[in-house]
Amino acid sequence: MVRHSATLAINERLEAKRAAGERVLHLGFGEAGLPVPPAVATVLAEAAGSNGYGPVAGSARARAAVAGYFSRRGLPTEADRVLLAPGSKALLFALLSVLPGDVVLPRPCWVSYAAQAALAGKQVIDVPIPPAAGGVPEPRVLETALAEARAAGAEPGVLILTVPDNPTGTVAGPELIEQVCAVADRHGLVVISDEIYRDLVHEGSVYSPATVLAHRTVVTAGLSKNLALGGYRIGFARLPSGPGATRLRTELIGVASEVWSSLPAPMQEVAAYALDEPAEVREHIERGLRLHRTVAAAVHREFLAAGASARAPQAGFYLYPDLESWRGKGFATGKQLTEHLLNRHGVGVLAGVEFGDDPGALRFRVATSLLYGSSTEQRWAALHSEDPLSCEWIAEALTHLRTALTPREP
Amino acid sequence: MVRHSATLAINERLEAKRAAGERVLHLGFGEAGLPVPPAVATVLAEAAGSNGYGPVAGSARARAAVAGYFSRRGLPTEADRVLLAPGSKALLFALLSVLPGDVVLPRPCWVSYAAQAALAGKQVIDVPIPPAAGGVPEPRVLETALAEARAAGAEPGVLILTVPDNPTGTVAGPELIEQVCAVADRHGLVVISDEIYRDLVHEGSVYSPATVLAHRTVVTAGLSKNLALGGYRIGFARLPSGPGATRLRTELIGVASEVWSSLPAPMQEVAAYALDEPAEVREHIERGLRLHRTVAAAVHREFLAAGASARAPQAGFYLYPDLESWRGKGFATGKQLTEHLLNRHGVGVLAGVEFGDDPGALRFRVATSLLYGSSTEQRWAALHSEDPLSCEWIAEALTHLRTALTPREP
């Protein structure tokens, strides 16, 4: 049985608490927490008359815009190697449905990969991430894990990488990517590179596996994170250039046409507009990035002050602290710790086990993006503030967190 | 391998011909062919700021509206028995993914059921429709087919009915529904009743299997046909009332949360508005229904005049003629006939084999809804015309069809 996605579940649980009048600190959900730029809203409004189904892969304009988006990022792309869908999640599901073989995942990784693999009838082979960054398996362990998995009867066929990473908020660098891709190449794995956070790197840019393993890497991305349009459900994929790409495209379109038909037509117009990246869109993303960086760094400082170990945030709006120092307080599992934070302090975070991590580890994912405000007004103010940490609601949230993390006698 | 949905494929093929300057008569695609009511467009425009993911099952307002929609149609429904999704197709896929057992289908039936069953790893047991109406299997044959399927190792678990039906444009009446449900009950089948055309019955109303087999019928529907919002991708499901319903809901939400997350937030606002059925929406649907009825009847007359046998259209905008009388002209299969119509006359229809019918039968599905016009202006004019058959483009289309159906020496 496929469980309700953990990230969506914590969101609904916290909303219920808030609706019941409880004071909550929502660090559990990867929603980008920013308002819709007026120009994007206008495009959607003007596209309201678009009620035809349209091509399964996406309208010609939207696909051309996706191709331009990737081409400007060092990944030359033709429009016929592009698919749009209602969310990159749907494309990831379709990819796992049609690509042969079992799935290799970094551990921890985003909650839905393993669930989708199960839905597609695949085994999961998980490999721990290296200390440097998440989203990729430790290359040396990967080699061994593949051999062991084969010996145990699995048939590894697909490797999912997350660059930049959720849950750790880190970015695997070129060296790591090249090492991992070399192993994937030797073992004939198709790489799915989930680059939904690629525009939100705090410093520098993403080195895509598609640069290294061009003929066998599918890149997925969308507008949910960079442009904070999660509720619009706009995702897209860039297929590889190799000889198998035409067949893969045909098969993906097959699944798409039987499961969701197409990205809603008005959303195709939004995609075409936003992915052409006019100035207003670029500025909005740039402002959002600054806010993510500032707040994630501030929350990181709170965790360090509380004795946690945690990689410094490098992208997006996530941290993955380890409160091993709290084990002496009676916490045996990450889940016990996160339930304590939720029930005692109204602080919602997701235990590492939700991401496939060791249940006994006192690690959890912290999403910092819902601190920007609970109203559109607060979010605009945070986005335009020179010093977002001085926004009253953000300062209060940091205090709330500090209190929750401050040791007290029972 | 899952093929590109046949209905979407013919659409793209005809669009390509049209773009190449060929004169085409598009009778191949089940798009309702009507413009967006201004009030609906306004709701979408005003919802452009809704960029949060929202609950997987749908917003509280949208679910309440769906509950009201069904309750006003003689199917009392609580909001917690409702799910919304990007299209009822997605919900049908999720249902087939979680419901145990193989799938019983009427033959012919809508193109996607069998493809979805294959994707969900299920066998298909197909049973011919009775002469009276499509969308349901002939009850006496059903009983035998189930016994034979079991003997052959299948485990029938789900029966899909289409009421009103696509491809035949007919509506199974109460007696037929009750007979089929009695067999389903004896065999412990869950019934999925696809009622996406339920508001488009030409005379009278739909007798839902959910009335008969309340504890084990799931109803799916959407706004793609009644309100012609196919490109908006708004679908919904009403779960049964029985003890298994809570588990079914949890499992469906599990699949939904891992495959598509939620119906796009702005579309939830559209659903909430439209399914509350204000006067403008009711009038739009009523006008559309009159247009569907008038044009389908006119096209039916053309086919009868050409020597086809065909059930009289009772709902929606479909016909399912049989040109058996043309076999003497050298057509051995339905596909040969439809390729002839497409290549020689630019007339696009779908052969019965696409719907699971006998490949040798000279039957095909005719969708009449794209005759209303190729521009928004023509569609509004057709919708408001007292005599749509006198609209120049509709009259020309009927002449085009008559020419294609008129026997000529080679």
Side-chain angles (χ1 to χ4, degrees):
Chain A
M1 178 177 154
V2 174
R3 293 177 317 145
H4 190 162
S5 158
T7 55
L8 297 169
I10 183 78
N11 190 45
E12 294 181 22
R13 208 165 150 202
L14 280 161
E15 287 304 326
K17 274 181 176 282
R18 199 197 305 267
E22 289 187 49
R23 188 163 158 267
V24 303
L25 184 59
H26 197 335
L27 301 170
F29 191 50
E31 186 163 279
L34 298 173
V36 178
V40 167
T42 301
V43 171
L44 182 63
E46 289 175 352
S50 301
N51 62 335
Y53 290 89
V56 173
S59 71
R61 278 189 59 231
R63 285 185 296 112
V66 173
Y69 171 90
F70 281 117
S71 298
R72 284 188 297 279
R73 282 159 177 77
L75 297 173
T77 308
E78 307 81 45
D80 63 1
R81 281 167 60 196
V82 162
L83 273 81
L84 290 103
S88 59
K89 195 185 260 186
L91 288 163
L92 288 164
F93 168 74
L95 283 162
L96 292 184
S97 297
V98 304
L99 289 169
D102 293 315
V103 181
V104 186
L105 295 180
R107 185 180 72 233
C109 68
W110 181 52
V111 296
S112 289
Y113 304 137
Q116 291 190 335
L119 201 53
K122 290 175 184 300
Q123 286 186 52
V124 164
I125 300 138
D126 55 18
V127 184
I129 59 174
V136 298
E138 161 65 59
R140 280 156 305 183
V141 184
L142 175 60
E143 190 80 60
T144 329
L146 287 169
E148 285 174 4
R150 282 227 171 74
E155 298 177 0
V158 181
L159 168 65
I160 304 186
L161 307 179
T162 319
V163 192
D165 185 40
N166 167 18
T168 64
T170 57
V171 190
E175 198 182 343
L176 206 42
I177 296 285
E178 283 172 6
Q179 287 169 5
V180 167
C181 285
V183 181
D185 201 20
R186 272 202 297 283
H187 289 264
L189 305 181
V190 170
V191 171
I192 299 175
S193 183
D194 180 349
E195 301 182 7
I196 189 106
Y197 297 96
R198 70 165 300 139
D199 294 342
L200 300 182
V201 180
H202 296 177
E203 306 288 346
S205 63
V206 162
Y207 185 77
S208 174
T211 326
V212 192
L213 211 60
H215 60 297
R216 235 177 25 245
T217 300
V218 182
V219 179
T220 61
L223 298 181
S224 297
K225 308 303 178 183
N226 54 359
L227 211 47
L229 294 176
Y232 277 33
R233 315 299 309 118
I234 297 173
F236 45 87
R238 173 190 185 271
L239 303 187
S241 52
T246 307
R247 184 185 159 90
L248 176 59
R249 179 173 190 272
T250 305
E251 295 194 328
L252 286 173
I253 289 180
V255 171
S257 78
E258 301 301 3
V259 179
W260 64 78
S261 292
S262 58
L263 175 66
M267 295 305 176
Q268 308 233 19
E269 298 293 319
V270 172
Y273 168 78
L275 292 165
D276 273 345
E277 301 180 276
E280 172 157 4
V281 166
R282 289 200 312 274
E283 279 167 31
H284 196 81
I285 292 175
E286 183 56 39
R287 274 185 198 280
L289 172 57
R290 281 212 305 270
L291 182 59
H292 298 319
R293 189 171 47 205
T294 305
V295 175
V299 173
H300 184 241
R301 289 191 293 272
E302 296 296 338
F303 277 99
L304 294 187
S309 67
R311 294 174 183 83
Q314 299 177 313
F317 32 76
Y318 299 120
L319 298 168
Y320 198 67
D322 187 334
L323 269 173
E324 183 59 31
S325 59
W326 281 30
R327 195 172 294 277
K329 300 183 194 189
F331 299 109
T333 68
K335 197 87 181 163
Q336 283 176 4
L337 177 57
T338 59
E339 286 296 315
H340 162 84
L341 289 172
L342 181 61
N343 296 326
R344 185 74 160 268
H345 299 285
V347 173
V349 295
L350 280 179
V353 67
E354 303 290 3
F355 303 90
D357 208 346
D358 176 4
L362 301 185
R363 291 189 281 268
F364 48 92
R365 190 196 69 176
V366 177
T368 57
S369 47
L370 291 185
L371 301 185
Y372 308 153
S374 52
S375 68
T376 303
E377 291 68 28
Q378 285 183 340
R379 290 168 174 191
W380 276 119
L383 196 61
H384 284 277
S385 170
E386 288 302 309
D387 177 19
L389 302 181
S390 69
C391 289
E392 192 187 333
W393 53 96
I394 296 179
E396 274 176 10
L398 290 171
T399 304
H400 184 159
L401 177 62
R402 197 172 310 142
T403 308
L405 294 177
T406 301
R408 278 172 305 184
E409 294 309 310
Chain B
M1 178 176 154
V2 174
R3 291 179 317 147
H4 190 163
S5 158
T7 55
L8 297 170
I10 183 78
N11 189 46
E12 294 181 20
R13 207 166 150 199
L14 280 162
E15 287 304 326
K17 274 182 177 282
R18 200 197 304 266
E22 288 186 49
R23 188 162 157 267
V24 302
L25 184 60
H26 198 336
L27 302 169
F29 192 50
E31 185 163 279
L34 298 172
V36 178
V40 167
T42 302
V43 171
L44 182 63
E46 289 175 352
S50 300
N51 62 334
Y53 290 88
V56 174
S59 71
R61 279 188 58 230
R63 286 186 294 111
V66 173
Y69 171 91
F70 281 117
S71 298
R72 285 188 298 277
R73 283 157 177 78
L75 297 173
T77 308
E78 307 83 44
D80 63 1
R81 281 167 60 197
V82 162
L83 272 82
L84 291 103
S88 60
K89 194 184 260 186
L91 288 163
L92 288 164
F93 168 74
L95 282 162
L96 292 184
S97 298
V98 304
L99 289 170
D102 293 315
V103 181
V104 186
L105 294 180
R107 186 180 69 233
C109 68
W110 181 52
V111 296
S112 289
Y113 304 137
Q116 292 189 335
L119 202 53
K122 290 175 184 300
Q123 286 187 51
V124 164
I125 300 138
D126 54 19
V127 183
I129 60 173
V136 298
E138 161 66 59
R140 280 157 306 183
V141 184
L142 175 60
E143 189 80 59
T144 329
L146 287 169
E148 285 175 3
R150 283 225 172 74
E155 298 177 1
V158 182
L159 168 64
I160 303 186
L161 306 179
T162 319
V163 194
D165 184 39
N166 167 19
T168 65
T170 57
V171 190
E175 199 182 341
L176 206 43
I177 296 285
E178 283 172 6
Q179 287 169 6
V180 167
C181 286
V183 181
D185 201 18
R186 272 202 297 283
H187 288 265
L189 305 181
V190 169
V191 171
I192 298 175
S193 184
D194 179 349
E195 302 182 6
I196 189 106
Y197 297 96
R198 70 165 300 139
D199 294 342
L200 300 182
V201 180
H202 297 177
E203 306 287 347
S205 63
V206 162
Y207 185 78
S208 174
T211 327
V212 193
L213 210 61
H215 59 297
R216 234 176 27 242
T217 299
V218 181
V219 180
T220 62
L223 298 180
S224 298
K225 308 304 177 182
N226 55 359
L227 210 48
L229 295 177
Y232 277 34
R233 315 299 310 118
I234 297 173
F236 45 87
R238 173 191 185 270
L239 303 187
S241 52
T246 307
R247 185 186 158 89
L248 177 59
R249 179 174 190 274
T250 305
E251 294 194 327
L252 287 173
I253 289 180
V255 171
S257 77
E258 301 301 3
V259 180
W260 65 79
S261 291
S262 58
L263 175 66
M267 295 304 176
Q268 309 235 18
E269 298 293 319
V270 172
Y273 168 78
L275 292 164
D276 272 344
E277 300 180 275
E280 169 156 8
V281 166
R282 289 201 312 275
E283 280 167 30
H284 196 79
I285 293 175
E286 183 57 39
R287 274 185 197 280
L289 172 57
R290 281 212 305 270
L291 182 59
H292 298 319
R293 188 169 49 204
T294 304
V295 175
V299 174
H300 185 242
R301 287 192 293 273
E302 296 296 338
F303 277 100
L304 294 187
S309 68
R311 295 173 183 82
Q314 299 177 314
F317 32 76
Y318 299 119
L319 298 167
Y320 198 67
D322 187 335
L323 270 174
E324 183 59 32
S325 59
W326 281 31
R327 193 171 296 277
K329 302 184 194 187
F331 298 108
T333 68
K335 197 85 182 164
Q336 284 175 3
L337 177 56
T338 58
E339 285 295 315
H340 162 83
L341 289 172
L342 181 61
N343 296 327
R344 186 73 161 268
H345 299 286
V347 173
V349 296
L350 279 180
V353 67
E354 303 290 2
F355 303 90
D357 207 345
D358 176 4
L362 301 185
R363 290 189 282 269
F364 49 91
R365 190 196 69 174
V366 177
T368 57
S369 46
L370 291 185
L371 302 185
Y372 309 153
S374 52
S375 67
T376 304
E377 292 67 28
Q378 286 183 340
R379 291 169 173 190
W380 276 119
L383 196 61
H384 283 278
S385 170
E386 288 303 310
D387 178 19
L389 302 182
S390 69
C391 290
E392 192 187 333
W393 53 96
I394 297 179
E396 274 175 12
L398 291 171
T399 305
H400 185 160
L401 177 62
R402 197 172 310 142
T403 308
L405 294 178
T406 301
R408 278 173 304 180
E409 293 309 311

